[in-house]
Amino acid sequence: MTLTLDAVLRSAGIEPAETQAIRHAFVREHEDSGAPGINANSTDAEILAYTCEQSAKPRIFPAVLPRLWVVFMPEGGDRARLWSVLENRGEATNDGARRTFDLVATDLLADLTGRLVIGWRSPRTWRLNGPTAAAYPVLEIADAQPVPFPGFDWLVLDHFQLQAVMREHRYASWRTALSSVVGIYLITDTRDGRQYVGKADGAESIRQRWSTYATNGHGGNVELRNVDPSSFRYSILRVFDPATPTRVIDEAESHFKHALDTRGHGLNRN
């Protein structure tokens, strides 16, 4: 049974009927407007700006458009490599010849960006309705390139990034590093600035502790159960060798709770 784009979209919670697919072509300029085109060396910002501007003629670009645009880049012949999934927040301008849209990148299929390649059966067609594109075959899902571990002092993750670190192959070295230490970490709710100081000690490494946050958002902490983890930011305050006595780690945890006042104005209860 052939794997199709339909299965990939649905695995990410994307309904094909609510999307359109675009495969850009490398051109020097738009045929109808003379505006600059894109090429293999174009930046993400340039590709996004290029995608935002479309023809106002309904026969070229539909008048009514879905919320999600799944955008691919050309890769010779009938291949198309995933660039990004964009959210269409509506038409921004329309001068009768050109329309611009308020498009923003989403996290949907982010783990497959640059890795997912589908067969594009109609090389001359650059835009497809979602259900049509969904039937196209997946030709390749390339291995993810490893992401270098930045070091404990420079590690700052939002909740989505934390989930990626805990599951994706490209972050294997990060998981190894986090498995090698215990210590004190900080969770900041970026909506209101409140902070939570936590610890991983004994047989529980920072990786094990953070895996629970990636899974359920609160890690079993009463203080965090009623807070939406999507706004959390995770960082490390201090690391210790796993052989460090629990007493030493407890003292460090108490110090940071006092220094950051997370009992009085944060999310720590004790």
Side-chain angles (χ1 to χ4, degrees):
M1 181 176 180
T2 301
L3 177 65
T4 64
L5 180 60
D6 180 85
V8 175
L9 294 176
R10 293 185 186 278
S11 70
I14 302 173
E15 175 60 45
E18 298 175 356
T19 72
Q20 69 170 354
I22 290 174
R23 186 182 84 151
H24 285 310
F26 292 148
V27 294
R28 289 191 175 185
E29 61 182 33
H30 283 282
E31 292 183 3
D32 55 345
S33 68
I38 57 173
N39 56 64
N41 296 317
S42 294
T43 66
D44 286 343
E46 291 169 338
I47 297 170
L48 177 61
Y50 181 79
T51 310
C52 286
E53 184 177 344
Q54 300 293 339
S55 173
K57 299 177 181 178
R59 65 180 180 81
I60 297 177
F61 203 67
V64 179
L65 293 158
R67 182 177 66 90
L68 297 177
W69 299 12
V70 186
V71 182
F72 295 85
M73 300 301 289
E75 194 167 274
D78 62 353
R79 293 168 61 91
R81 187 175 294 272
L82 179 65
W83 175 69
S84 185
V85 178
L86 305 178
E87 179 184 1
N88 170 27
R89 295 185 174 177
E91 186 178 272
T93 65
N94 187 339
D95 64 6
R98 304 295 297 174
R99 304 163 72 190
T100 60
F101 294 86
D102 180 12
L103 302 179
V104 296
T106 72
D107 292 329
L108 295 169
L109 299 182
D111 59 330
L112 294 178
T113 296
R115 300 173 55 212
L116 172 67
V117 178
I118 66 170
W120 196 270
R121 293 171 178 163
S122 305
R124 294 180 178 274
T125 301
W126 61 274
R127 192 204 73 85
L128 296 168
N129 292 325
T132 300
Y136 281 14
V138 171
L139 301 182
E140 175 187 348
I141 298 179
D143 288 339
Q145 292 296 314
V147 179
F149 182 63
F152 298 113
D153 291 340
W154 301 100
L155 189 60
V156 180
L157 304 171
D158 62 28
H159 189 68
F160 175 80
Q161 291 170 324
L162 177 66
Q163 291 177 315
V165 166
M166 292 302 161
R167 72 170 184 263
E168 294 180 16
H169 177 71
R170 58 182 172 150
Y171 291 109
S173 66
W174 296 43
R175 293 192 293 274
T176 299
L178 293 172
S179 295
S180 70
V181 295
V182 295
I184 313 301
Y185 57 86
L186 183 70
I187 300 176
T188 301
D189 186 345
T190 58
R191 283 170 299 200
D192 55 23
R194 290 187 299 165
Q195 296 179 314
Y196 175 87
V197 172
K199 68 176 179 178
D201 60 4
E204 184 178 52
S205 67
I206 288 181
R207 174 189 174 178
Q208 290 171 304
R209 191 76 194 99
W210 280 14
S211 289
T212 62
Y213 291 117
T215 300
N216 60 30
H218 54 73
N221 300 118
V222 175
E223 302 88 344
L224 305 179
R225 284 186 180 275
N226 297 320
V227 184
D228 181 358
S230 64
S231 63
F232 285 173
R233 186 173 62 203
Y234 305 82
S235 58
I236 294 176
L237 297 174
R238 188 174 176 184
V239 297
F240 296 91
D241 183 277
T244 303
T246 301
R247 171 184 53 80
V248 175
I249 300 174
D250 288 344
E251 290 173 353
E253 180 188 29
S254 294
H255 163 73
F256 282 112
K257 287 179 179 178
H258 174 70
L260 297 172
D261 197 20
T262 59
R263 294 187 181 97
H265 297 89
L267 292 165
N268 287 108
R269 286 191 178 182
N270 53 55

